[in-house]
Amino acid sequence: MVAGPTSTGPGKDRLRLWIRLLRASRTIEAELRERLKKEFDTTLPRFDVMAALYRSPEGMLMSDLSRFLLVSNGNVTGIVDRLVSEGLVTRARRNGDRRTSMVRLTEEGSKTFAAIAAAHESWVGELLGTVSEDEARRLTGMLKSFRSNWEGRE
Amino acid sequence: MVAGPTSTGPGKDRLRLWIRLLRASRTIEAELRERLKKEFDTTLPRFDVMAALYRSPEGMLMSDLSRFLLVSNGNVTGIVDRLVSEGLVTRARRNGDRRTSMVRLTEEGSKTFAAIAAAHESWVGELLGTVSEDEARRLTGMLKSFRSNWEGRE
DNA sequence: GGCAATTATTTCAAGCTTGAAGTTTTATAA
DNA sequence: TTATAAAACTTCAAGCTTGAAATAATTGCC
């Protein structure tokens, strides 16, 4: 996946783009993961869950989190388990539908997240420093629409 | 990581770009992983290792693979173990330096990889279908240089 | 030569990830 | 009502991933 095509031909340009995209995101992701561990003793998946919850003060269902973060249900269960045991998140059973539970940041979780998010944003700014703000906007636009072609089928 | 910034300010455009980049690569990666499993009963990491070896008929050291694929040494050990047990790869101890071993695709591994790689390329072409070949080349160029700023520091 | 540092690799624990199977609760419908 | 299906989660096995510690072989220096 990270190795590229050596020959030329139809479709090679898209393959090359995919290789670059993957290498770029893996490199940045690895660096962010390392800094999250070193500076805040946390992980990327936990940060992702907290980020989602931070935007929804009213809370989110497990399935909301799963859908929003593009990961499986069982995956979210484990991550939320750990966040609960760290006191950053609560799971509240609901009266209306007792299959579901509402997940929310605790006050401590909210403070903790705000601090991490600030560092995270400046790290991203640093790591993508060679991309101008203008170029960043153009790239974002290009990436915005690529999925419509095939996602959501079945 | 997959959640985005809601406010505006300096650095927000790069953060937004990073979110898009990550969502795009995660989505494509998930789809490719699923197809590799369903169609060829293999995984992305194994495909990556085979792709690297396919380009080096003379073989690669474990540390070469690790460096090239941007993953840890211990990681490569496990993946190569599984490929060896599937008969797709061999580990040959060297006379010169007995700490190292040369990893090579077997003949079967080479054939197997060629078949998978063809499917893989057409999948990527499909999944990135909304990006024109021309746009693909431009995006690739933009992604090519972003690392030079900070990688290799320390 | 002999010994310390370096290099290549493996092992291991902890955590992430998926997909499948299982549990509990709610909705549907005969 | 009462089966049956559907929905929301959890559990589990297998595999991926890292970073740290352990092994083994080589290199460099006295």
mmCIF file of all heavy atoms in Angstrom, chain A residues 1 4 12-14 23 25 31 44 48 68 121 127-128 130-131 133 137 139 146-147 150 153, chain B residues 1 12-14 23 25 27 31 44 48 68 121 127-128 130-131 133 137 139 146 149-150 153:
data_model
loop_
_atom_site.group_PDB
_atom_site.id
_atom_site.type_symbol
_atom_site.label_atom_id
_atom_site.label_comp_id
_atom_site.label_asym_id
_atom_site.label_seq_id
_atom_site.Cartn_x
_atom_site.Cartn_y
_atom_site.Cartn_z
ATOM 1 N N MET A 1 0.833 -1.207 0.000
ATOM 2 C CA MET A 1 0.000 0.000 0.000
ATOM 3 C C MET A 1 0.855 1.237 0.000
ATOM 4 O O MET A 1 0.543 2.241 -0.614
ATOM 5 C CB MET A 1 -0.851 -0.005 1.261
ATOM 6 C CG MET A 1 -1.901 1.044 1.235
ATOM 7 S SD MET A 1 -2.963 0.823 -0.148
ATOM 8 C CE MET A 1 -3.779 -0.651 0.336
ATOM 9 N N GLY A 4 4.885 2.017 -4.330
ATOM 10 C CA GLY A 4 4.232 2.625 -5.494
ATOM 11 C C GLY A 4 4.413 1.851 -6.775
ATOM 12 O O GLY A 4 5.151 0.868 -6.819
ATOM 13 N N LYS A 12 -2.503 4.761 -13.436
ATOM 14 C CA LYS A 12 -1.296 4.875 -12.607
ATOM 15 C C LYS A 12 -1.258 6.183 -11.819
ATOM 16 O O LYS A 12 -0.722 6.223 -10.714
ATOM 17 C CB LYS A 12 -0.040 4.782 -13.476
ATOM 18 C CG LYS A 12 0.199 3.406 -14.064
ATOM 19 C CD LYS A 12 0.507 2.372 -13.016
ATOM 20 C CE LYS A 12 0.689 1.014 -13.669
ATOM 21 N NZ LYS A 12 0.695 -0.091 -12.691
ATOM 22 N N ASP A 13 -1.805 7.237 -12.402
ATOM 23 C CA ASP A 13 -1.765 8.524 -11.706
ATOM 24 C C ASP A 13 -2.605 8.492 -10.443
ATOM 25 O O ASP A 13 -2.218 9.052 -9.417
ATOM 26 C CB ASP A 13 -2.252 9.644 -12.632
ATOM 27 C CG ASP A 13 -1.207 9.982 -13.686
ATOM 28 O OD1 ASP A 13 -0.018 9.880 -13.367
ATOM 29 O OD2 ASP A 13 -1.598 10.327 -14.811
ATOM 30 N N ARG A 14 -3.739 7.828 -10.502
ATOM 31 C CA ARG A 14 -4.587 7.723 -9.311
ATOM 32 C C ARG A 14 -3.931 6.834 -8.269
ATOM 33 O O ARG A 14 -4.013 7.099 -7.077
ATOM 34 C CB ARG A 14 -5.972 7.176 -9.686
ATOM 35 C CG ARG A 14 -6.776 8.127 -10.554
ATOM 36 C CD ARG A 14 -8.276 7.843 -10.499
ATOM 37 N NE ARG A 14 -9.007 8.754 -11.386
ATOM 38 C CZ ARG A 14 -9.294 8.503 -12.662
ATOM 39 N NH1 ARG A 14 -8.928 7.350 -13.202
ATOM 40 N NH2 ARG A 14 -9.951 9.371 -13.392
ATOM 41 N N ARG A 23 0.888 7.758 2.500
ATOM 42 C CA ARG A 23 2.159 8.027 3.183
ATOM 43 C C ARG A 23 2.069 9.307 3.992
ATOM 44 O O ARG A 23 2.565 9.386 5.115
ATOM 45 C CB ARG A 23 3.322 8.119 2.180
ATOM 46 C CG ARG A 23 3.791 6.764 1.665
ATOM 47 C CD ARG A 23 5.115 6.877 0.901
ATOM 48 N NE ARG A 23 6.274 6.740 1.750
ATOM 49 C CZ ARG A 23 6.940 5.600 1.958
ATOM 50 N NH1 ARG A 23 6.557 4.498 1.357
ATOM 51 N NH2 ARG A 23 7.979 5.557 2.755
ATOM 52 N N SER A 25 -0.658 10.759 5.309
ATOM 53 C CA SER A 25 -1.485 10.667 6.508
ATOM 54 C C SER A 25 -0.857 9.743 7.536
ATOM 55 O O SER A 25 -0.947 9.989 8.734
ATOM 56 C CB SER A 25 -2.912 10.243 6.162
ATOM 57 O OG SER A 25 -2.908 8.988 5.553
ATOM 58 N N GLU A 31 3.284 10.894 13.957
ATOM 59 C CA GLU A 31 3.870 11.977 14.732
ATOM 60 C C GLU A 31 2.887 12.482 15.796
ATOM 61 O O GLU A 31 3.260 12.690 16.952
ATOM 62 C CB GLU A 31 4.266 13.115 13.784
ATOM 63 C CG GLU A 31 4.965 14.278 14.437
ATOM 64 C CD GLU A 31 6.350 13.926 14.981
ATOM 65 O OE1 GLU A 31 6.954 12.954 14.491
ATOM 66 O OE2 GLU A 31 6.804 14.623 15.918
ATOM 67 N N LEU A 44 -4.680 8.511 20.102
ATOM 68 C CA LEU A 44 -5.461 9.127 19.040
ATOM 69 C C LEU A 44 -6.932 8.721 19.106
ATOM 70 O O LEU A 44 -7.812 9.591 19.021
ATOM 71 C CB LEU A 44 -4.843 8.718 17.702
ATOM 72 C CG LEU A 44 -4.762 9.756 16.594
ATOM 73 C CD1 LEU A 44 -4.389 11.119 17.125
ATOM 74 C CD2 LEU A 44 -3.751 9.297 15.567
ATOM 75 N N ASP A 48 -10.026 11.250 19.494
ATOM 76 C CA ASP A 48 -11.125 11.303 18.520
ATOM 77 C C ASP A 48 -12.481 11.266 19.206
ATOM 78 O O ASP A 48 -13.376 12.044 18.890
ATOM 79 C CB ASP A 48 -11.031 10.112 17.562
ATOM 80 C CG ASP A 48 -9.926 10.287 16.537
ATOM 81 O OD1 ASP A 48 -9.358 11.398 16.446
ATOM 82 O OD2 ASP A 48 -9.626 9.312 15.826
ATOM 83 N N PHE A 68 -19.990 8.343 13.281
ATOM 84 C CA PHE A 68 -19.264 9.592 13.063
ATOM 85 C C PHE A 68 -17.767 9.359 12.899
ATOM 86 O O PHE A 68 -17.104 9.976 12.062
ATOM 87 C CB PHE A 68 -19.510 10.544 14.231
ATOM 88 C CG PHE A 68 -18.840 11.869 14.069
ATOM 89 C CD1 PHE A 68 -19.264 12.771 13.106
ATOM 90 C CD2 PHE A 68 -17.763 12.219 14.870
ATOM 91 C CE1 PHE A 68 -18.642 13.994 12.943
ATOM 92 C CE2 PHE A 68 -17.132 13.448 14.715
ATOM 93 C CZ PHE A 68 -17.578 14.336 13.747
ATOM 94 N N GLU A 121 -3.949 21.306 17.607
ATOM 95 C CA GLU A 121 -4.103 22.220 16.476
ATOM 96 C C GLU A 121 -2.779 22.873 16.097
ATOM 97 O O GLU A 121 -2.464 23.013 14.916
ATOM 98 C CB GLU A 121 -5.137 23.300 16.797
ATOM 99 C CG GLU A 121 -5.366 24.217 15.598
ATOM 100 C CD GLU A 121 -6.455 25.249 15.853
ATOM 101 O OE1 GLU A 121 -7.416 24.925 16.572
ATOM 102 O OE2 GLU A 121 -6.331 26.367 15.311
ATOM 103 N N LEU A 127 3.082 20.694 11.395
ATOM 104 C CA LEU A 127 3.391 19.566 10.516
ATOM 105 C C LEU A 127 2.983 19.852 9.073
ATOM 106 O O LEU A 127 3.559 19.310 8.135
ATOM 107 C CB LEU A 127 2.703 18.298 11.029
ATOM 108 C CG LEU A 127 3.162 17.845 12.427
ATOM 109 C CD1 LEU A 127 2.392 16.621 12.892
ATOM 110 C CD2 LEU A 127 4.658 17.544 12.417
ATOM 111 N N LEU A 128 1.951 20.663 8.899
ATOM 112 C CA LEU A 128 1.525 21.028 7.544
ATOM 113 C C LEU A 128 2.043 22.417 7.184
ATOM 114 O O LEU A 128 1.505 23.082 6.300
ATOM 115 C CB LEU A 128 0.000 20.990 7.435
ATOM 116 C CG LEU A 128 -0.651 19.608 7.548
ATOM 117 C CD1 LEU A 128 -2.157 19.720 7.423
ATOM 118 C CD2 LEU A 128 -0.116 18.676 6.462
ATOM 119 N N THR A 130 4.435 23.538 5.478
ATOM 120 C CA THR A 130 4.882 23.859 4.117
ATOM 121 C C THR A 130 3.717 24.087 3.176
ATOM 122 O O THR A 130 3.919 24.536 2.050
ATOM 123 C CB THR A 130 5.759 22.725 3.547
ATOM 124 O OG1 THR A 130 5.036 21.509 3.617
ATOM 125 C CG2 THR A 130 7.061 22.595 4.324
ATOM 126 N N VAL A 131 2.504 23.744 3.620
ATOM 127 C CA VAL A 131 1.331 24.008 2.787
ATOM 128 C C VAL A 131 0.788 25.388 3.161
ATOM 129 O O VAL A 131 0.486 25.635 4.325
ATOM 130 C CB VAL A 131 0.236 22.938 3.035
ATOM 131 C CG1 VAL A 131 -0.960 23.190 2.135
ATOM 132 C CG2 VAL A 131 0.804 21.549 2.813
ATOM 133 N N GLU A 133 -1.787 28.504 3.566
ATOM 134 C CA GLU A 133 -3.202 28.516 3.954
ATOM 135 C C GLU A 133 -4.091 28.457 2.705
ATOM 136 O O GLU A 133 -5.125 27.800 2.688
ATOM 137 C CB GLU A 133 -3.518 29.798 4.748
ATOM 138 C CG GLU A 133 -2.839 29.881 6.099
ATOM 139 C CD GLU A 133 -3.709 29.305 7.237
ATOM 140 O OE1 GLU A 133 -4.936 29.478 7.195
ATOM 141 O OE2 GLU A 133 -3.140 28.664 8.135
ATOM 142 N N ARG A 137 -6.707 25.392 1.605
ATOM 143 C CA ARG A 137 -8.125 25.519 1.251
ATOM 144 C C ARG A 137 -8.424 24.822 -0.068
ATOM 145 O O ARG A 137 -9.451 24.157 -0.218
ATOM 146 C CB ARG A 137 -8.533 26.996 1.192
ATOM 147 C CG ARG A 137 -8.926 27.580 2.541
ATOM 148 C CD ARG A 137 -9.526 28.979 2.399
ATOM 149 N NE ARG A 137 -8.531 29.948 1.937
ATOM 150 C CZ ARG A 137 -7.668 30.574 2.741
ATOM 151 N NH1 ARG A 137 -7.689 30.336 4.040
ATOM 152 N NH2 ARG A 137 -6.804 31.433 2.247
ATOM 153 N N LEU A 139 -6.734 22.302 -1.506
ATOM 154 C CA LEU A 139 -6.641 20.847 -1.304
ATOM 155 C C LEU A 139 -7.876 20.313 -0.596
ATOM 156 O O LEU A 139 -8.437 19.281 -0.977
ATOM 157 C CB LEU A 139 -5.402 20.520 -0.463
ATOM 158 C CG LEU A 139 -4.114 20.249 -1.225
ATOM 159 C CD1 LEU A 139 -2.926 20.238 -0.261
ATOM 160 C CD2 LEU A 139 -4.192 18.904 -1.936
ATOM 161 N N PHE A 146 -14.567 13.631 -3.232
ATOM 162 C CA PHE A 146 -14.170 12.413 -3.918
ATOM 163 C C PHE A 146 -15.009 11.178 -3.598
ATOM 164 O O PHE A 146 -15.045 10.237 -4.376
ATOM 165 C CB PHE A 146 -12.696 12.117 -3.626
ATOM 166 C CG PHE A 146 -12.521 11.257 -2.434
ATOM 167 C CD1 PHE A 146 -12.376 9.882 -2.576
ATOM 168 C CD2 PHE A 146 -12.537 11.797 -1.159
ATOM 169 C CE1 PHE A 146 -12.236 9.088 -1.459
ATOM 170 C CE2 PHE A 146 -12.408 10.991 -0.059
ATOM 171 C CZ PHE A 146 -12.265 9.640 -0.216
ATOM 172 N N ARG A 147 -15.694 11.188 -2.455
ATOM 173 C CA ARG A 147 -16.367 9.967 -2.035
ATOM 174 C C ARG A 147 -17.675 9.695 -2.753
ATOM 175 O O ARG A 147 -18.059 8.544 -2.939
ATOM 176 C CB ARG A 147 -16.674 10.019 -0.535
ATOM 177 C CG ARG A 147 -15.449 9.802 0.312
ATOM 178 C CD ARG A 147 -15.808 9.923 1.772
ATOM 179 N NE ARG A 147 -16.542 8.750 2.230
ATOM 180 C CZ ARG A 147 -17.155 8.683 3.399
ATOM 181 N NH1 ARG A 147 -17.158 9.717 4.185
ATOM 182 N NH2 ARG A 147 -17.786 7.586 3.759
ATOM 183 N N TRP A 150 -18.880 6.397 -4.856
ATOM 184 C CA TRP A 150 -19.059 4.991 -4.518
ATOM 185 C C TRP A 150 -19.548 4.743 -3.108
ATOM 186 O O TRP A 150 -20.074 3.709 -2.800
ATOM 187 C CB TRP A 150 -17.737 4.270 -4.701
ATOM 188 C CG TRP A 150 -16.648 4.924 -3.935
ATOM 189 C CD1 TRP A 150 -15.931 6.011 -4.307
ATOM 190 C CD2 TRP A 150 -16.209 4.587 -2.636
ATOM 191 N NE1 TRP A 150 -15.060 6.357 -3.311
ATOM 192 C CE2 TRP A 150 -15.201 5.508 -2.287
ATOM 193 C CE3 TRP A 150 -16.545 3.580 -1.722
ATOM 194 C CZ2 TRP A 150 -14.543 5.460 -1.078
ATOM 195 C CZ3 TRP A 150 -15.894 3.541 -0.514
ATOM 196 C CH2 TRP A 150 -14.897 4.478 -0.203
ATOM 197 N N ARG A 153 -23.053 2.866 -1.332
ATOM 198 C CA ARG A 153 -23.673 1.761 -2.044
ATOM 199 C C ARG A 153 -23.779 0.616 -1.056
ATOM 200 O O ARG A 153 -22.847 0.327 -0.330
ATOM 201 C CB ARG A 153 -22.835 1.387 -3.258
ATOM 202 C CG ARG A 153 -21.659 0.503 -2.917
ATOM 203 C CD ARG A 153 -20.517 0.721 -3.822
ATOM 204 N NE ARG A 153 -19.321 0.078 -3.325
ATOM 205 C CZ ARG A 153 -19.002 -0.038 -2.040
ATOM 206 N NH1 ARG A 153 -19.801 0.410 -1.101
ATOM 207 N NH2 ARG A 153 -17.884 -0.619 -1.677
ATOM 208 N N MET B 1 -9.735 13.263 16.013
ATOM 209 C CA MET B 1 -8.916 13.408 14.814
ATOM 210 C C MET B 1 -9.778 13.508 13.585
ATOM 211 O O MET B 1 -9.495 14.215 12.642
ATOM 212 C CB MET B 1 -8.032 12.171 14.692
ATOM 213 C CG MET B 1 -7.016 12.315 13.634
ATOM 214 S SD MET B 1 -5.975 13.722 14.001
ATOM 215 C CE MET B 1 -5.072 13.096 15.353
ATOM 216 N N LYS B 12 -6.621 27.234 11.255
ATOM 217 C CA LYS B 12 -7.820 26.415 11.080
ATOM 218 C C LYS B 12 -7.879 25.757 9.703
ATOM 219 O O LYS B 12 -8.411 24.663 9.566
ATOM 220 C CB LYS B 12 -9.085 27.267 11.272
ATOM 221 C CG LYS B 12 -9.302 27.724 12.704
ATOM 222 C CD LYS B 12 -9.609 26.565 13.636
ATOM 223 C CE LYS B 12 -9.796 27.070 15.054
ATOM 224 N NZ LYS B 12 -9.777 26.004 16.051
ATOM 225 N N ASP B 13 -7.372 26.428 8.706
ATOM 226 C CA ASP B 13 -7.420 25.861 7.356
ATOM 227 C C ASP B 13 -6.557 24.615 7.260
ATOM 228 O O ASP B 13 -6.927 23.643 6.608
ATOM 229 C CB ASP B 13 -6.954 26.896 6.323
ATOM 230 C CG ASP B 13 -8.018 27.961 6.100
ATOM 231 O OD1 ASP B 13 -9.211 27.613 6.189
ATOM 232 O OD2 ASP B 13 -7.655 29.114 5.843
ATOM 233 N N ARG B 14 -5.401 24.644 7.918
ATOM 234 C CA ARG B 14 -4.543 23.455 7.899
ATOM 235 C C ARG B 14 -5.174 22.326 8.701
ATOM 236 O O ARG B 14 -5.090 21.167 8.331
ATOM 237 C CB ARG B 14 -3.162 23.784 8.473
ATOM 238 C CG ARG B 14 -2.368 24.727 7.574
ATOM 239 C CD ARG B 14 -0.871 24.675 7.861
ATOM 240 N NE ARG B 14 -0.142 25.631 7.025
ATOM 241 C CZ ARG B 14 0.118 26.875 7.389
ATOM 242 N NH1 ARG B 14 -0.276 27.326 8.564
ATOM 243 N NH2 ARG B 14 0.782 27.680 6.579
ATOM 244 N N ARG B 23 -9.867 11.611 6.874
ATOM 245 C CA ARG B 23 -11.130 10.939 6.557
ATOM 246 C C ARG B 23 -11.040 10.254 5.207
ATOM 247 O O ARG B 23 -11.521 9.135 5.034
ATOM 248 C CB ARG B 23 -12.314 11.924 6.576
ATOM 249 C CG ARG B 23 -12.786 12.294 7.971
ATOM 250 C CD ARG B 23 -14.130 13.035 7.951
ATOM 251 N NE ARG B 23 -15.276 12.153 8.038
ATOM 252 C CZ ARG B 23 -15.892 11.809 9.176
ATOM 253 N NH1 ARG B 23 -15.483 12.297 10.319
ATOM 254 N NH2 ARG B 23 -16.919 10.989 9.164
ATOM 255 N N SER B 25 -8.320 9.114 3.602
ATOM 256 C CA SER B 25 -7.479 7.915 3.572
ATOM 257 C C SER B 25 -8.087 6.799 4.408
ATOM 258 O O SER B 25 -8.003 5.629 4.032
ATOM 259 C CB SER B 25 -6.053 8.244 4.010
ATOM 260 O OG SER B 25 -6.037 8.720 5.317
ATOM 261 N N THR B 27 -11.281 6.199 4.808
ATOM 262 C CA THR B 27 -12.402 5.636 4.056
ATOM 263 C C THR B 27 -11.909 4.706 2.961
ATOM 264 O O THR B 27 -12.393 3.573 2.813
ATOM 265 C CB THR B 27 -13.225 6.779 3.437
ATOM 266 O OG1 THR B 27 -13.610 7.679 4.466
ATOM 267 C CG2 THR B 27 -14.470 6.233 2.756
ATOM 268 N N GLU B 31 -12.170 0.453 2.733
ATOM 269 C CA GLU B 31 -12.769 -0.237 1.587
ATOM 270 C C GLU B 31 -11.778 -1.238 0.982
ATOM 271 O O GLU B 31 -12.138 -2.375 0.673
ATOM 272 C CB GLU B 31 -13.190 0.806 0.550
ATOM 273 C CG GLU B 31 -13.888 0.248 -0.666
ATOM 274 C CD GLU B 31 -15.250 -0.353 -0.361
ATOM 275 O OE1 GLU B 31 -15.852 0.006 0.670
ATOM 276 O OE2 GLU B 31 -15.703 -1.229 -1.145
ATOM 277 N N LEU B 44 -4.110 -5.776 4.435
ATOM 278 C CA LEU B 44 -3.356 -4.656 3.910
ATOM 279 C C LEU B 44 -1.874 -4.733 4.293
ATOM 280 O O LEU B 44 -1.005 -4.551 3.432
ATOM 281 C CB LEU B 44 -3.988 -3.371 4.448
ATOM 282 C CG LEU B 44 -4.102 -2.177 3.513
ATOM 283 C CD1 LEU B 44 -4.461 -2.585 2.105
ATOM 284 C CD2 LEU B 44 -5.138 -1.213 4.069
ATOM 285 N N ASP B 48 1.186 -4.841 1.705
ATOM 286 C CA ASP B 48 2.268 -3.855 1.729
ATOM 287 C C ASP B 48 3.636 -4.523 1.686
ATOM 288 O O ASP B 48 4.518 -4.115 0.936
ATOM 289 C CB ASP B 48 2.186 -3.005 3.002
ATOM 290 C CG ASP B 48 1.054 -1.986 2.928
ATOM 291 O OD1 ASP B 48 0.484 -1.809 1.839
ATOM 292 O OD2 ASP B 48 0.754 -1.374 3.975
ATOM 293 N N PHE B 68 11.096 1.245 5.024
ATOM 294 C CA PHE B 68 10.345 1.562 3.813
ATOM 295 C C PHE B 68 8.841 1.682 4.079
ATOM 296 O O PHE B 68 8.169 2.560 3.544
ATOM 297 C CB PHE B 68 10.596 0.481 2.755
ATOM 298 C CG PHE B 68 9.914 0.743 1.455
ATOM 299 C CD1 PHE B 68 10.316 1.792 0.639
ATOM 300 C CD2 PHE B 68 8.852 -0.050 1.044
ATOM 301 C CE1 PHE B 68 9.678 2.042 -0.568
ATOM 302 C CE2 PHE B 68 8.210 0.196 -0.166
ATOM 303 C CZ PHE B 68 8.625 1.246 -0.968
ATOM 304 N N GLU B 121 -5.032 -2.151 -8.071
ATOM 305 C CA GLU B 121 -4.908 -0.944 -8.883
ATOM 306 C C GLU B 121 -6.249 -0.520 -9.472
ATOM 307 O O GLU B 121 -6.575 0.675 -9.510
ATOM 308 C CB GLU B 121 -3.883 -1.154 -10.000
ATOM 309 C CG GLU B 121 -3.689 0.120 -10.814
ATOM 310 C CD GLU B 121 -2.615 -0.014 -11.874
ATOM 311 O OE1 GLU B 121 -1.619 -0.725 -11.630
ATOM 312 O OE2 GLU B 121 -2.765 0.597 -12.954
ATOM 313 N N LEU B 127 -12.139 3.883 -6.798
ATOM 314 C CA LEU B 127 -12.442 4.660 -5.589
ATOM 315 C C LEU B 127 -12.051 6.127 -5.736
ATOM 316 O O LEU B 127 -12.637 7.005 -5.117
ATOM 317 C CB LEU B 127 -11.743 4.034 -4.378
ATOM 318 C CG LEU B 127 -12.187 2.603 -4.055
ATOM 319 C CD1 LEU B 127 -11.381 2.033 -2.890
ATOM 320 C CD2 LEU B 127 -13.671 2.553 -3.738
ATOM 321 N N LEU B 128 -11.042 6.383 -6.555
ATOM 322 C CA LEU B 128 -10.630 7.766 -6.806
ATOM 323 C C LEU B 128 -11.171 8.252 -8.144
ATOM 324 O O LEU B 128 -10.635 9.194 -8.737
ATOM 325 C CB LEU B 128 -9.102 7.886 -6.776
ATOM 326 C CG LEU B 128 -8.435 7.659 -5.416
ATOM 327 C CD1 LEU B 128 -6.931 7.800 -5.538
ATOM 328 C CD2 LEU B 128 -8.967 8.646 -4.384
ATOM 329 N N THR B 130 -13.598 10.010 -9.062
ATOM 330 C CA THR B 130 -14.072 11.385 -9.240
ATOM 331 C C THR B 130 -12.919 12.373 -9.389
ATOM 332 O O THR B 130 -13.143 13.531 -9.722
ATOM 333 C CB THR B 130 -14.940 11.828 -8.044
ATOM 334 O OG1 THR B 130 -14.191 11.647 -6.848
ATOM 335 C CG2 THR B 130 -16.212 11.014 -7.976
ATOM 336 N N VAL B 131 -11.699 11.907 -9.119
ATOM 337 C CA VAL B 131 -10.537 12.774 -9.314
ATOM 338 C C VAL B 131 -10.009 12.544 -10.735
ATOM 339 O O VAL B 131 -9.691 11.410 -11.089
ATOM 340 C CB VAL B 131 -9.424 12.450 -8.300
ATOM 341 C CG1 VAL B 131 -8.244 13.379 -8.482
ATOM 342 C CG2 VAL B 131 -9.964 12.528 -6.876
ATOM 343 N N GLU B 133 -7.473 12.467 -13.919
ATOM 344 C CA GLU B 133 -6.056 12.105 -13.974
ATOM 345 C C GLU B 133 -5.186 13.345 -13.801
ATOM 346 O O GLU B 133 -4.146 13.311 -13.158
ATOM 347 C CB GLU B 133 -5.734 11.433 -15.324
ATOM 348 C CG GLU B 133 -6.398 10.086 -15.527
ATOM 349 C CD GLU B 133 -5.517 8.912 -15.087
ATOM 350 O OE1 GLU B 133 -4.295 8.988 -15.309
ATOM 351 O OE2 GLU B 133 -6.057 7.947 -14.512
ATOM 352 N N ARG B 137 -2.538 14.218 -10.691
ATOM 353 C CA ARG B 137 -1.123 14.583 -10.798
ATOM 354 C C ARG B 137 -0.821 15.840 -9.995
ATOM 355 O O ARG B 137 0.210 15.940 -9.336
ATOM 356 C CB ARG B 137 -0.734 14.780 -12.268
ATOM 357 C CG ARG B 137 -0.324 13.488 -12.970
ATOM 358 C CD ARG B 137 0.246 13.758 -14.354
ATOM 359 N NE ARG B 137 -0.763 14.293 -15.257
ATOM 360 C CZ ARG B 137 -1.609 13.542 -15.965
ATOM 361 N NH1 ARG B 137 -1.550 12.238 -15.875
ATOM 362 N NH2 ARG B 137 -2.499 14.095 -16.760
ATOM 363 N N LEU B 139 -2.504 17.026 -7.320
ATOM 364 C CA LEU B 139 -2.566 16.707 -5.898
ATOM 365 C C LEU B 139 -1.309 15.977 -5.453
ATOM 366 O O LEU B 139 -0.735 16.259 -4.398
ATOM 367 C CB LEU B 139 -3.786 15.824 -5.621
ATOM 368 C CG LEU B 139 -5.088 16.534 -5.280
ATOM 369 C CD1 LEU B 139 -6.258 15.560 -5.359
ATOM 370 C CD2 LEU B 139 -4.997 17.104 -3.867
ATOM 371 N N PHE B 146 5.441 18.110 1.316
ATOM 372 C CA PHE B 146 5.051 18.667 2.605
ATOM 373 C C PHE B 146 5.915 18.222 3.787
ATOM 374 O O PHE B 146 5.972 18.888 4.805
ATOM 375 C CB PHE B 146 3.586 18.344 2.894
ATOM 376 C CG PHE B 146 3.430 17.063 3.634
ATOM 377 C CD1 PHE B 146 3.298 17.055 5.015
ATOM 378 C CD2 PHE B 146 3.458 15.857 2.959
ATOM 379 C CE1 PHE B 146 3.181 15.864 5.705
ATOM 380 C CE2 PHE B 146 3.354 14.672 3.653
ATOM 381 C CZ PHE B 146 3.215 14.680 5.016
ATOM 382 N N ASN B 149 9.814 19.773 5.754
ATOM 383 C CA ASN B 149 9.914 20.770 6.806
ATOM 384 C C ASN B 149 10.385 20.208 8.133
ATOM 385 O O ASN B 149 11.218 20.777 8.816
ATOM 386 C CB ASN B 149 8.542 21.403 6.998
ATOM 387 C CG ASN B 149 8.652 22.792 7.592
ATOM 388 O OD1 ASN B 149 9.706 23.411 7.502
ATOM 389 N ND2 ASN B 149 7.585 23.268 8.185
ATOM 390 N N TRP B 150 9.857 19.079 8.515
ATOM 391 C CA TRP B 150 10.055 18.640 9.893
ATOM 392 C C TRP B 150 10.570 17.222 10.028
ATOM 393 O O TRP B 150 11.109 16.857 11.041
ATOM 394 C CB TRP B 150 8.745 18.755 10.648
ATOM 395 C CG TRP B 150 7.656 18.018 9.961
ATOM 396 C CD1 TRP B 150 6.900 18.477 8.927
ATOM 397 C CD2 TRP B 150 7.237 16.693 10.209
ATOM 398 N NE1 TRP B 150 6.033 17.494 8.531
ATOM 399 C CE2 TRP B 150 6.207 16.405 9.290
ATOM 400 C CE3 TRP B 150 7.626 15.714 11.127
ATOM 401 C CZ2 TRP B 150 5.579 15.171 9.263
ATOM 402 C CZ3 TRP B 150 6.984 14.493 11.088
ATOM 403 C CH2 TRP B 150 5.968 14.236 10.157
ATOM 404 N N ARG B 153 14.077 15.625 11.739
ATOM 405 C CA ARG B 153 14.633 16.499 12.773
ATOM 406 C C ARG B 153 15.016 15.627 13.966
ATOM 407 O O ARG B 153 14.620 14.489 14.052
ATOM 408 C CB ARG B 153 13.600 17.553 13.184
ATOM 409 C CG ARG B 153 12.559 17.014 14.139
ATOM 410 C CD ARG B 153 11.227 17.613 13.868
ATOM 411 N NE ARG B 153 10.184 16.976 14.644
ATOM 412 C CZ ARG B 153 10.110 15.648 14.821
ATOM 413 N NH1 ARG B 153 11.046 14.863 14.350
ATOM 414 N NH2 ARG B 153 9.120 15.138 15.488
#
